[in-house]
Amino acid sequence: KQEVTQIPAALSVPEGENLVLNCSFTDSAIYNLQWFRQDPGKGLTSLLLIQSSQREQTSGRLNASLDKSSGRSTLYIAASQPGDSATYLCAVRASGTYKYIFGTGTRLKVLA
Amino acid sequence: DVKVTQSSRYLVKRTGEKVFLECVQDMDHENMFWYRQDPGLGLRLIYFSYDVKMKEKGDIPEGYSVSREKKERFSLILESASTNQTSMYLCASSPHDRPVYTFGSGTRLTVV
């Protein structure tokens, strides 16, 4: 059974720092992996999608990498800003299914 | 602007009541999903539907049922609400041919 783990559970950094959020999964037979952002009391917004054949995806200050063989993904945030404060979740989708398995998230606080 | 709309942001119901949570999407997506989100447990899939009148159990279907009579609407039903169903409920949709989820804003249900 696929399990997705995110470490750390919470992180506080000063504004301007570069930071890395980690996601690991137990079954490497994935179709793709997504990173989401969730603001307090709100739904999720998709940030980046990496297909199983890809190694990384970039959008603005965000870069997500995928190492399928080791069951790991990282989300790199450059030059963090207070507006980046949110919970970041990763989710993996197995081949042959429509559903995603989610991690429990990393709660990020960027201090001004 | 494409949307997934959940009918209520906050809901308070009594134990034993029948509860309906409604989700409507305007993107002509085939797939729709209901998740619940609890602290420390992350998002867990309750039910999903990949077509009208089709439904599949997720990881935690007990105590819930669903209805998909029209493509745009996916309803989650709590037959007899219990206090352990107090949670944030999130609806999502996606097309068959692209793996990107769009989430609603969530319904925070409290059962007293």
Side-chain angles (χ1 to χ4, degrees):
Chain A
K1 183 186 170 186
Q2 178 74 271
E3 290 182 6
V4 181
T5 304
Q6 291 186 248
I7 294 172
L11 185 62
S12 285
V13 299
E15 183 176 6
E17 265 203 17
N18 302 324
L19 58 102
V20 173
L21 307 181
N22 296 297
C23 172
S24 60
F25 46 95
T26 53
D27 186 348
S28 62
I30 65 169
Y31 182 70
N32 61 45
L33 181 146
Q34 279 197 69
W35 282 93
F36 293 86
R37 169 187 172 133
Q38 184 177 30
D39 293 290
K42 301 280 181 68
L44 280 68
T45 301
S46 179
L47 297 172
L48 289 164
L49 169 73
I50 312 178
Q51 299 289 1
S52 62
S53 57
Q54 297 175 319
R55 298 286 295 203
E56 64 179 303
Q57 281 286 335
T58 299
S59 175
R61 294 182 294 109
L62 304 179
N63 175 276
S65 68
L66 174 64
D67 184 344
K68 218 172 64 159
S69 60
S70 68
R72 291 184 184 181
S73 176
T74 60
L75 179 67
Y76 174 83
I77 303 177
S80 58
Q81 302 170 357
D84 295 329
S85 298
T87 297
Y88 291 81
L89 297 103
C90 74
V92 299
R93 178 179 161 189
S95 302
T97 175
Y98 294 120
K99 68 177 188 179
Y100 281 88
I101 305 296
F102 283 81
T104 51
T106 295
R107 191 170 63 253
L108 172 66
K109 190 167 187 178
V110 181
L111 306 167
Chain B
D1 198 20
V2 293
K3 259 190 204 173
V4 175
T5 303
Q6 294 184 232
S7 53
S8 305
R9 287 300 308 277
Y10 300 95
L11 215 49
V12 180
K13 295 292 182 181
R14 294 194 182 279
T15 301
E17 274 194 74
K18 190 169 186 175
V19 182
F20 293 85
L21 301 183
E22 304 287 346
C23 176
V24 177
Q25 51 97 2
D26 63 1
M27 297 164 283
D28 202 36
H29 285 172
E30 291 83 7
N31 304 324
M32 296 188 75
F33 307 83
W34 275 107
Y35 286 88
R36 64 177 281 178
Q37 184 177 29
D38 300 288
L41 296 175
L43 274 79
R44 293 177 293 166
L45 181 65
I46 306 171
Y47 267 97
F48 68 101
S49 168
Y50 51 88
D51 205 347
V52 176
K53 296 192 187 294
M54 306 300 288
K55 60 186 179 185
E56 295 252 354
K57 291 181 181 179
D59 300 316
I60 51 163
E62 297 78 20
Y64 302 94
S65 62
V66 290
S67 172
R68 186 137 182 232
E69 296 296 317
K70 293 185 178 180
K71 191 176 186 180
E72 66 269 20
R73 186 180 295 269
F74 191 35
S75 303
L76 181 69
I77 303 154
L78 286 66
E79 297 291 342
S80 177
S82 63
T83 54
N84 64 13
Q85 292 178 310
T86 292
S87 186
M88 169 73 104
Y89 289 87
L90 291 163
C91 175
S93 72
S94 74
H96 273 336
D97 60 347
R98 282 183 302 114
V100 181
Y101 272 24
T102 302
F103 275 87
S105 299
T107 296
R108 185 164 293 283
L109 172 68
T110 302
V111 183
V112 297

